[in-house]
Amino acid sequence: MKTAWVTGATGFWGRNVVMSLLRLDWRVVALTRSPPEDLIVWARSQNKELVWQHCDLRLLQLPELETPSALFHCAAVFDTLETMMQVNVIAPIQLIESVLPQMQAAGEGRIGIFLGQNGRIGLPNLGHFSATQGAMWTWAESQSRTLAPLGNVSLSLVFPPRAPSDLQGKLAEKLTKPPKLSTRPTADDLVKNVLLGHRCVGRRPVLAGISTLLW
């Protein structure tokens, strides 16, 4: 049984990623500040293996765990610039770079980074959040291109549909027009394509950006 780490497992997309991986019979380690109690109960009821590991991206202490075969970074916050830089950029980069050498030594690894669709667009009142998303986006692009010719370790940029998450709600409060949300989005296709090693997963960011500028 292969193991996947998931940050933000108590958030909307993190929860969906955990459930998708469990349905695919992966062993999942949830890296969160508090345990995802309901997910743990559900996993037990389905005879799936979900383990909680305390991990606060604001004060990152790298978990001393067996290197995963996959890592999904789904955590993001809308807060002060300092906190957003730590949680949205610095900590996930440190976490990913901590497992990359072991993945490369093992000859396999899949990394999926969930990103805001409009991270490079300076929307009104979202400058700090856009800055952190843009920084993570360009770093992920660089890493994805670097890893592509080297072997069986891949990094995917994941652009999920807009969903009714707490983060989306906080972002929408800063906009003059509320965004259109997907009513029943799941992470199944996103997870499967990350595990297949696709470098860009989900909505096409260029089309998402155009739609935002027109909307």
Side-chain angles (χ1 to χ4, degrees):
M1 183 181 294
K2 293 184 176 181
T3 297
W5 293 0
V6 180
T7 70
T10 54
F12 183 90
W13 283 113
R15 292 171 58 84
N16 276 274
V17 167
V18 167
M19 295 184 71
S20 294
L21 288 165
L22 292 174
R23 285 194 290 265
L24 293 172
D25 291 326
W26 279 66
R27 176 180 182 270
V28 178
V29 177
L31 303 177
T32 57
R33 287 184 293 163
S34 57
E37 297 287 0
D38 55 337
L39 281 178
I40 293 173
V41 171
W42 180 85
R44 289 173 181 167
S45 71
Q46 303 297 313
N47 294 317
K48 308 293 185 180
E49 189 171 358
L50 172 60
V51 178
W52 173 61
Q53 173 68 43
H54 180 265
C55 182
D56 189 345
L57 292 179
R58 298 172 302 177
L59 304 167
L60 181 63
Q61 295 178 340
L62 298 178
E64 296 181 1
L65 300 169
E66 180 182 350
T67 301
S69 296
L71 190 160
F72 288 80
H73 171 58
C74 307
V77 298
F78 187 75
D79 205 313
T80 64
L81 177 60
E82 292 78 8
T83 301
M84 285 191 288
M85 285 297 297
Q86 178 65 24
V87 175
N88 298 351
V89 184
I90 297 172
I93 289 176
Q94 291 176 338
L95 183 63
I96 292 166
E97 289 184 341
S98 75
V99 302
L100 268 177
Q102 288 80 12
M103 284 182 170
Q104 291 173 312
E108 66 170 0
R110 296 287 184 258
I111 299 170
I113 300 177
F114 277 62
L115 296 163
Q117 297 169 1
N118 308 307
R120 289 183 177 175
I121 300 174
L123 295 176
N125 303 314
L126 293 179
H128 288 174
F129 183 77
S130 295
T132 64
Q133 287 293 286
M136 193 61 186
W137 186 337
T138 52
W139 180 86
E141 278 187 328
S142 175
Q143 280 291 353
S144 181
R145 294 174 186 272
T146 300
L147 292 171
L150 298 181
N152 296 324
V153 179
S154 64
L155 188 149
S156 305
L157 285 72
V158 183
F159 299 96
R162 295 188 187 92
S165 65
D166 290 341
L167 176 62
Q168 185 67 68
K170 292 177 182 178
L171 297 177
E173 290 175 358
K174 300 294 182 178
L175 300 174
T176 56
K177 297 181 181 179
K180 295 180 180 178
L181 304 179
S182 299
T183 55
R184 292 185 179 179
T186 72
D188 291 350
D189 288 341
L190 302 175
V191 168
K192 289 177 182 178
N193 284 322
V194 170
L195 297 179
L196 288 172
H198 296 180
R199 288 176 53 198
C200 187
V201 175
R203 293 189 68 188
R204 296 181 182 180
V206 172
L207 296 181
I210 293 174
S211 68
T212 297
L213 292 175
L214 293 177
W215 142 84

